[in-house]
Amino acid sequence: MWKTLLSLLILFFVISCSNPERMAEMVEKTERSEIADSTVVLDMDVCSVDELPLSMLIKDVKYVELETNDSSYLYAPANIKITDSLIYVSDVREQLKRFDLEGNFIDDVYTRGQGPGEVVRLYDFDVDNDSLYLLDGAKSSILVYDHRRTLGSMRQLPFRATRFKHLSDGRFLFALAPYGLGNEEQSSLIALTDAHFTIQNTFFSQNVQVEGSTVRSPYFENSSSSIYFSPIYKRSIYRLDGKNLWMNYYLDFHTPYYETSKNVDGMVEAQEKGLYYTYTNPFHDDLYLWQSFFTSADKRGLLLIRLSDNKAVFIKNIRNDMDNVLDFDFESTRFYDVSRKQYVGTAIYYPESAFQTKEDIDAVKTMLVDSVEPLLLRKEREEINSVLVFYRLRDDIFQQLSMNKKR
């Protein structure tokens, strides 16, 4: 008996040690097999540039300071959504607070609890100009409110989901929990439903004995006109067309697939082994599609694709040359506001105590115009709400790139 048990333990150990490379290999083969004639394959080495100035990418910046008081304070904002008159901000503690467009605090959006219209665990939220949608993960329900906080409906989902996206045509995309559809052998990552949560299609079905957890949580484009989607591990950007997600772009980074060890810091492992990561969901406006990436020590940055001809540039470093920006990170972008054609994220600001000498502080002050200095350079390390940054991309980025190459 004990010999049988020992043999099983040894077999389990061998499988556990060998699974990561095998799973990563299977994911790579599966993904490459999905490349179609219509897929745009981008060679990231060919389209890479080492550095561009920020002013070549951004044409204007506006800041909104969210009011800070005992009721409005947020811990590490996780998501931002905007209507025609409201800003909704959630944080890592499942708080969801509402502000006006000038940053004045209005109220907490929901009440925690088991009662009618209350939420036990807020997993995700979305908005349009008429309604607010909340995903209660504990109840596996979608609650729909108007923007006066009046509950319109609460409906049980026929599956378990972790995140969702309400589409402009009334349908929903859901990121499913493992085995969210109740199948113990097959596990799909995405479900597309109609407005009543009837499943129209599922995507990225995994046989867990082959792929395991290699394909991680997906990102939905965070915009009211969302059509793009990107899995974290796969090297592709997918587009929603009717009832199907198809591979619009395949990004060839020339780095091997590798399944992470759960006991090793992922970023360190990426630097050492060429592991592929993405940090933010894709965004698109009328001209561009962009996404921030981290693949390895020498391959991280911002991918920008011109939608008219699929011309792409992968920018490894962005040099700040603007006097109304203290620091800038595209990875902090949370939302694209279609009606105003602005990207929205959290601005990076510093307390004066972060600098060693008064000379250092004075040097930073000389970099900033007077109107933004008090927003981005704080007197003390005080507890304040985030400063939101609204910005637009320039419409002549690729023309400037062409001119630089000719010089």
Side-chain angles (χ1 to χ4, degrees), residues 19 46 64 85 97 103 113 121 131 157 159 168 175 185-186 231 328 356 395 397:
N19 264 349
V46 171
V64 173
S85 61
K97 298 182 184 290
R121 289 288 309 277
S131 302
L157 295 174
F159 43 75
S168 57
E185 295 182 358
Q186 294 290 128
F328 194 90
Q356 294 184 346
D395 55 12
I397 295 172

Side-chain angles (χ1 to χ4, degrees), residues 316-346:
K316 295 181 179 180
N317 182 54
I318 298 171
R319 173 172 50 85
N320 181 22
D321 63 340
M322 298 178 67
D323 62 3
N324 57 349
V325 177
L326 182 57
D327 201 352
F328 194 90
D329 190 347
F330 279 95
E331 291 172 6
S332 67
T333 301
R334 296 287 182 265
F335 185 74
Y336 179 65
D337 183 359
V338 174
S339 62
R340 298 172 184 82
K341 297 186 177 181
Q342 290 179 315
Y343 295 90
V344 187
T346 50

Side-chain angles (χ1 to χ4, degrees), residues 205-265:
S205 178
Q206 296 183 88
N207 184 324
V208 295
Q209 295 181 352
V210 175
E211 294 188 18
S213 59
T214 301
V215 184
R216 297 181 181 84
S217 300
Y219 286 125
F220 300 133
E221 184 181 17
N222 202 9
S223 164
S224 59
S225 63
S226 300
I227 56 174
Y228 290 99
F229 156 87
S230 181
I232 286 183
Y233 196 86
K234 290 192 174 186
R235 308 180 183 208
S236 315
I237 297 174
Y238 290 77
R239 178 173 176 148
L240 182 66
D241 184 9
K243 294 184 180 181
N244 295 296
L245 277 169
W246 56 277
M247 187 188 292
N248 199 157
Y249 300 96
Y250 178 80
L251 313 177
D252 191 351
F253 279 93
H254 304 287
T255 54
Y257 280 65
Y258 186 83
E259 173 64 8
T260 57
S261 165
K262 294 179 173 59
N263 300 316
V264 179
D265 181 78

Side-chain angles (χ1 to χ4, degrees), residues 67-237:
E67 178 185 350
T68 304
N69 58 46
D70 291 341
S71 300
S72 71
Y73 185 69
L74 291 152
Y75 299 85
N79 207 347
I80 300 167
K81 309 271 187 176
I82 296 178
T83 71
D84 54 1
S85 61
L86 298 168
I87 302 174
Y88 287 88
V89 185
S90 67
D91 69 5
V92 295
R93 296 191 179 183
E94 298 178 15
Q95 295 186 103
L96 180 57
K97 298 182 184 290
R98 187 164 56 163
F99 303 82
D100 66 21
L101 294 181
E102 286 71 49
N104 300 306
F105 176 64
I106 299 175
D107 56 16
D108 284 289
V109 171
Y110 71 94
T111 302
R112 294 179 190 265
Q114 297 276 2
E118 296 179 337
V119 175
V120 180
R121 289 288 309 277
L122 181 67
Y123 276 22
D124 200 4
F125 77 102
D126 207 353
V127 301
D128 55 33
N129 282 332
D130 298 317
S131 302
L132 164 70
Y133 307 85
L134 304 182
L135 170 59
D136 187 336
K139 295 180 181 178
S140 197
S141 299
I142 292 287
L143 294 81
V144 183
Y145 300 81
D146 63 23
H147 293 295
R148 296 182 300 273
R149 290 185 60 189
T150 301
L151 180 65
S153 65
M154 182 177 73
R155 295 193 59 183
Q156 190 86 17
L157 295 174
F159 43 75
R160 292 183 295 111
T162 57
R163 291 197 311 282
F164 76 102
K165 179 65 199 170
H166 178 252
L167 303 174
S168 57
D169 61 8
R171 296 183 299 167
F172 290 85
L173 276 171
F174 287 94
L176 300 175
Y179 315 111
L181 298 175
N183 190 322
E184 295 183 359
E185 295 182 358
Q186 294 290 128
S187 181
S188 296
L189 284 177
I190 301 292
L192 173 68
T193 78
D194 62 16
H196 305 290
F197 310 130
T198 301
I199 294 177
Q200 295 182 334
N201 206 350
T202 59
F203 310 99
F204 307 111
S205 178
Q206 296 183 88
N207 184 324
V208 295
Q209 295 181 352
V210 175
E211 294 188 18
S213 59
T214 301
V215 184
R216 297 181 181 84
S217 300
Y219 286 125
F220 300 133
E221 184 181 17
N222 202 9
S223 164
S224 59
S225 63
S226 300
I227 56 174
Y228 290 99
F229 156 87
S230 181
I232 286 183
Y233 196 86
K234 290 192 174 186
R235 308 180 183 208
S236 315
I237 297 174

